Amino acid sequence: MAISQRLDMRQGQSLVMTPQLQQAIKLLQLSNIELAEFVEAEIERNPLLEHGESSERDDSDRELPERASKREELNLDDNSALNEAREAMDAPKEDLYDGGTTSDSATTANEMSGPSARTDWSQAGSGGSFSGDDYDFEGSLSSETTLHEHLHKQISMSGLSQADQLIAARLVDETDEAGYCKTDLEEVASALGADPANVEAVLEVCQGFEPVGVMARDVSECLALQLKDRDRLDPAMHALVRNLDLVAKHDIKGLCDICGVDKEDVFDMIAELRSLTPRPGSAFASGTTIAVAPDVFVREMPNGMFAVELNSDTLPRVLMDKAYYAEVSALPMREREKEFISECAQNASWLIKSLDQRARTILKVASEIVRQQDAFFAHGVAHLRPLNLKQVADAIDMHESTVSRVTSNKYMGTPRGLFELKYFFSAAIPGTAGGDAHSAEAVRYRIKQLIDDEGKKVLSDDKIVEILTEFGIEIARRTVAKYRESLNIPSSVQRRRQIRASA
């Protein structure tokens, strides 16, 4: 058979995700904080984008200062500046949407998307302290001392040699926010080329730092350091802190045998343990805590129905300055400059449409969740229904992966509190005699209620199974034990010991 070359034409189909489509999918799963950071970065990159203000804008009121600054940013007369700006806009030309319209309520004349507010610090006072763009407001605020800063200050006053101070600094860096130094001393010694015995000796010195109990390697050592500082670490107390598992189980008889004391002394020793601090570093400042803001609100209507609305405060306002785009496009430009302006316009339009589509999708998914779980909003956790992603996806004609992305890192503010959207999805526990299924979260809530109301008559896991069966819930004993442990509720044996200990 002769070998020859030939050309064939074949027709096929393939799914291609453009970079813009990939970013649109990524926007769905961003939290409101991450979304604000993403939009801020896009505004810095694209001279046609700006923060939205009021929907009724007067172009003559915001005339020259902003336009002049944008012209400087774009600088069409300076090719080098243009090239730098164009390289920064590394986005493809393809538009995510090939058509479609948006509602009048979601868009405005300048393609505004979402709400925002802007504060003009230049008008805050006549003294000039807030005037100027260079003022660092956050930098002027006083900051609390962190645990690491507090420990590093004590190293220089510890009397350690220069070499040992380096070891101490490494151990301090390995200490977590709770105040524990759980690092492997062998690894520290190997990394610093030091003797392991010397590293342990330095750690002992560091364990004398304030606060008392800091840089312990476990809870037992932390409590022992605090008792030693109080001059209360006698043999009986030392035995007690070495057997904290028996303390957690309220095994008073076992503790009496190990510590060599009577029942009354054990109770006194446990009471002293409770006065100690298992997290010595908690008194110091840690990382900045960011409050969770709900993405949607649910409120009850006078007719008993529930209304769902977006939290407009978490939606970034972005608009494209079409007047400025028209002004720049009318200037004489080279081909590369026209291409850059076109890319900016396409990306600005895509971002505004994507933000609008994201908001619509979140509202659609949240509305369906509220519809499916209306009994929860009306009567509480015990009436939570079993629900999965597929049920919601089928109801709103979306893919399961889209619903999964929408419910990630999104929160719903309700009359019953703040909940993550994923909270409303739970497995189904079958009902007895073919009855209706029950939500796993609702069953977990019933188990907690039963144990909270048990009083002195402690319910075993088997007894809880019998009671739940009477409620029409078919559940195994091991499932009850698993749910009980997830609620951090001790076993029936431990609960009986707690009752006897408190008697």
Side-chain angles (χ1 to χ4, degrees):
M1 180 177 179
I3 299 177
S4 61
Q5 294 180 342
R6 63 178 184 178
L7 294 175
D8 288 334
M9 182 178 294
R10 297 181 181 179
Q11 187 176 10
Q13 291 182 336
S14 63
L15 180 63
V16 178
M17 291 183 64
T18 65
Q20 288 183 329
L21 180 57
Q22 293 176 16
Q23 281 192 324
I25 293 174
K26 180 183 177 182
L27 284 182
L28 279 177
Q29 59 192 21
L30 292 181
S31 65
N32 47 36
I33 296 176
E34 294 169 335
L35 179 66
E37 293 175 351
F38 174 83
V39 169
E40 195 66 35
E42 288 296 314
I43 291 176
E44 291 179 1
R45 292 174 53 190
N46 194 333
L48 299 182
L49 284 172
E50 62 182 9
H51 290 289
E53 298 175 0
S54 152
S55 59
E56 298 178 359
R57 298 169 60 249
D58 185 357
D59 291 337
S60 62
D61 291 342
R62 48 177 220 87
E63 172 56 27
L64 295 180
E66 293 184 6
R67 297 274 176 89
S69 62
K70 286 185 177 181
R71 189 174 288 107
E72 286 182 11
E73 182 180 350
L74 192 60
N75 201 356
L76 292 174
D77 299 328
D78 186 349
N79 290 334
S80 61
L82 175 62
N83 291 335
E84 289 178 5
R86 189 174 176 277
E87 290 174 2
M89 291 297 300
D90 188 21
K93 292 183 183 180
E94 294 87 11
D95 194 283
L96 175 64
Y97 299 90
D98 57 1
T101 59
T102 57
S103 66
D104 295 337
S105 61
T107 56
T108 58
N110 277 327
E111 295 194 34
M112 180 185 294
S113 176
S116 77
R118 182 161 66 187
T119 303
D120 187 2
W121 288 105
S122 63
Q123 305 298 325
S126 59
S129 59
F130 291 106
S131 61
D133 297 334
D134 300 339
Y135 182 75
D136 183 9
F137 184 76
E138 293 183 357
S140 67
L141 300 176
S142 60
S143 59
E144 297 181 40
T145 302
T146 65
L147 176 63
H148 285 173
E149 291 171 348
H150 182 65
L151 294 176
H152 274 293
K153 289 177 182 178
Q154 297 179 70
I155 293 176
S156 59
M157 299 181 291
S158 62
L160 294 170
S161 65
Q162 195 73 22
D164 288 347
Q165 287 188 26
L166 292 175
I167 297 174
R170 174 62 180 268
L171 293 174
V172 167
D173 291 338
E174 296 289 345
T175 302
D176 60 23
E177 292 183 354
Y180 288 93
C181 184
K182 298 180 180 180
T183 185
D184 188 345
L185 298 185
E186 294 283 347
E187 292 182 2
V188 174
S190 176
L192 299 178
D195 183 15
N198 188 30
V199 174
E200 186 155 1
V202 172
L203 178 60
E204 291 180 6
V205 174
C206 293
Q207 287 176 345
F209 291 172
E210 291 289 339
V212 179
V214 76
M215 297 186 70
R217 283 162 284 191
D218 52 42
V219 177
S220 178
E221 187 176 31
C222 176
L223 299 179
L225 289 171
Q226 296 178 57
L227 290 167
K228 184 178 179 181
D229 182 71
R230 297 182 180 187
D231 197 20
R232 285 288 296 121
L233 192 61
D234 53 36
M237 189 64 84
H238 196 271
L240 183 71
V241 296
R242 289 172 62 90
N243 292 274
L244 294 177
D245 56 329
L246 297 182
V247 176
K249 295 177 181 177
H250 292 268
D251 188 355
I252 305 301
K253 185 179 183 301
L255 291 172
C256 289
D257 295 338
I258 291 173
C259 299
V261 295
D262 59 21
K263 182 178 179 182
E264 295 298 328
D265 287 336
V266 168
F267 285 149
D268 291 340
M269 292 161 64
I270 291 176
E272 189 167 0
L273 278 187
R274 288 172 177 166
S275 68
L276 304 177
T277 305
R279 293 172 59 89
S282 60
F284 291 85
S286 58
T288 304
T289 302
I290 301 175
V292 174
D295 295 86
V296 292
F297 288 114
V298 178
R299 56 187 177 87
E300 188 172 3
M301 304 290 286
N303 60 0
M305 303 296 287
F306 294 93
V308 184
E309 59 185 19
L310 289 169
N311 181 4
S312 58
D313 292 337
T314 63
L315 298 176
R317 278 186 175 179
V318 183
L319 60 86
M320 175 181 170
D321 193 342
K322 289 188 173 182
Y324 178 64
Y325 172 58
E327 177 185 335
V328 172
S329 300
L331 298 175
M333 293 183 289
R334 302 183 185 88
E335 190 63 32
R336 294 179 61 186
E337 295 167 352
K338 291 181 181 178
E339 182 181 349
F340 170 63
I341 294 299
S342 176
E343 287 178 0
C344 290
Q346 287 185 4
N347 286 320
S349 178
W350 162 80
L351 178 61
I352 294 168
K353 291 178 181 178
S354 294
L355 291 175
D356 177 69
Q357 184 65 31
R358 176 185 181 274
R360 292 169 183 273
T361 305
I362 292 175
L363 185 60
K364 196 172 184 180
V365 172
S367 299
E368 180 60 25
I369 290 175
V370 171
R371 190 187 71 81
Q372 297 268 9
Q373 299 290 9
D374 57 343
F376 163 81
F377 296 102
H379 306 293
V381 182
H383 297 268
L384 199 65
R385 299 190 183 104
L387 185 66
N388 55 42
L389 296 173
K390 188 176 188 306
Q391 289 174 263
V392 174
D394 291 344
I396 60 178
D397 197 22
M398 286 185 180
H399 196 272
E400 284 182 59
S401 61
T402 303
V403 177
S404 177
R405 291 186 180 96
V406 169
T407 54
S408 297
N409 303 315
K410 309 295 187 306
Y411 292 85
M412 179 184 289
T414 74
R416 296 191 177 275
L418 182 67
F419 298 91
E420 189 176 8
L421 291 186
K422 285 189 178 297
Y423 171 82
F424 299 99
F425 297 90
S426 63
I429 303 294
T432 57
D436 293 337
H438 302 266
S439 164
E441 189 65 33
V443 173
R444 190 180 287 109
Y445 175 75
R446 285 183 181 272
I447 292 173
K448 185 178 185 302
Q449 270 192 324
L450 289 173
I451 295 176
D452 288 343
D453 299 337
E454 66 184 0
K456 293 185 177 180
K457 189 177 181 181
V458 176
L459 300 175
S460 66
D461 291 344
D462 290 321
K463 183 62 178 177
I464 292 175
V465 169
E466 294 178 12
I467 296 174
L468 292 178
T469 303
E470 294 175 2
F471 281 113
I473 302 172
E474 184 178 335
I475 190 171
R477 188 196 66 81
R478 64 178 179 275
T479 307
V480 170
K482 181 179 73 173
Y483 287 174
R484 175 178 53 74
E485 291 171 358
S486 70
L487 294 168
N488 294 320
I489 297 175
S491 66
S492 58
V493 175
Q494 293 175 347
R495 299 203 302 277
R496 288 193 188 96
R497 287 174 178 167
Q498 290 177 3
I499 293 174
R500 288 199 296 266
S502 60

